[in-house]
Amino acid sequence: MTLSIAHLGPPGTYAEQAAILYYNWLTQISAQKAILCPYPSIAQTLRAVAQGQTKLAVVPVENSIEGSVTMTLDALWQLDGLQVQLALVMPIVHTLISCAQSMEDLKTVYSHPQALAQCQRWLDRVLPKVQLIPTNSTTEALLQLDRDTTAAAISSQRAAQLYNLPVLATGINDYPENCTRFWVIGKNYIPFARPSHLERASHTSLAFSTPANVPGALAKPLQVFASIGINLSKIESRPTKRSLGEYLFFIDLEADLSEPQVESALAEIASYTEILKIFGSYNVLPIQELVVSC
Ligand SMILES: O=C(O)C(=O)C[C@]1(C(=O)O)C=C[C@@H](O)C=C1
């Protein structure tokens, strides 16, 4: 059976690049055939898996400069039954793409809000007067660029080649070590989507809302992990969207859900939380494994 993998489109996005790396790794370890399916937004990409249109999705979840990809966290909270199968971290090198003769001709720059934010200082310094226009992905505006020589887009070198467009500047991200973590997501636990040689998962991700905005509402669940020596590698709050000042908490643990200690900690946490969503346990695929298999 051919495996379908949803990702943010149109073709050329970083999410597609991450999906290709994952696809190459998967086809090499399992001879599994796969097809990539682009969707117009991150929410629609995750909905495709939740509704069974595709088996898997590859979505960005966190960037080293800008932090969490909030569209991904919000969609994961809203949808049911989605589980993280694997994480992978990819370097991100942004490029300014345009048909303009020079940067002085530019009036607008299009890109995904994450990419605009990752290049914020460069844009302030080099193009302080341009209008920044957020798009659903870094590649959404590329097809319009040949019609407007006052417009540019921030995307990858690979996207510039794919659309046969000129590059005005490269490496424009504010920090050179820029990288984004992607999650491979599926419904329930999918054994063949994961590395088979690793017995234990290195991380577990979950999110919860608290029953009331009272002292200790967050401290109590966190204390459960501290008391059994589980390290948290990330904690992030998002608004519940129900009322101002009410939050959800997204947490990454350095532990495997199949360990009895972790399982009982999560059962205890359920008593301190209103809604608890466990996104599962998974490993991080080292970039060397991905590059070798490309
Ligand atoms: O628009 C794209 O190309 C994407 O894949 C999305 C995305 C993101 O949402 O973080 C992915 C990686 C980069 O951090 C910039 C944009």
Side-chain angles (χ1 to χ4, degrees), residues 8 12-16 42 60 63 69 71 92 94 112 114-115 118 136-139 180 182:
L8 177 65
T13 59
Y14 293 103
E16 183 194 60
I42 292 175
N63 173 264
V69 180
M71 294 98 166
I92 305 287
H94 289 304
H112 187 282
Q114 270 280 341
Q118 291 161 28
N136 275 319
S137 73
T138 58
T139 52
T180 296
F182 290 83

Side-chain angles (χ1 to χ4, degrees), residues 136-204:
N136 275 319
S137 73
T138 58
T139 52
E140 197 182 60
L142 292 181
L143 282 176
Q144 302 165 22
L145 290 187
D146 61 351
R147 275 178 265 134
D148 183 356
T149 53
T150 66
I154 297 177
S155 194
S156 65
Q157 184 90 39
R158 175 176 165 270
Q161 276 163 6
L162 212 62
Y163 290 80
N164 199 20
L165 288 165
V167 166
L168 283 187
T170 196
I172 64 169
N173 27 283
D174 294 335
Y175 296 87
E177 301 298 310
N178 190 25
C179 53
T180 296
R181 184 195 337 277
F182 290 83
W183 275 347
V184 178
I185 299 215
K187 261 184 132 178
N188 308 319
Y189 181 88
I190 307 176
F192 66 79
R194 299 157 176 263
S196 55
H197 62 287
L198 298 170
E199 275 173 24
R200 284 202 178 283
S202 57
H203 290 80
T204 296

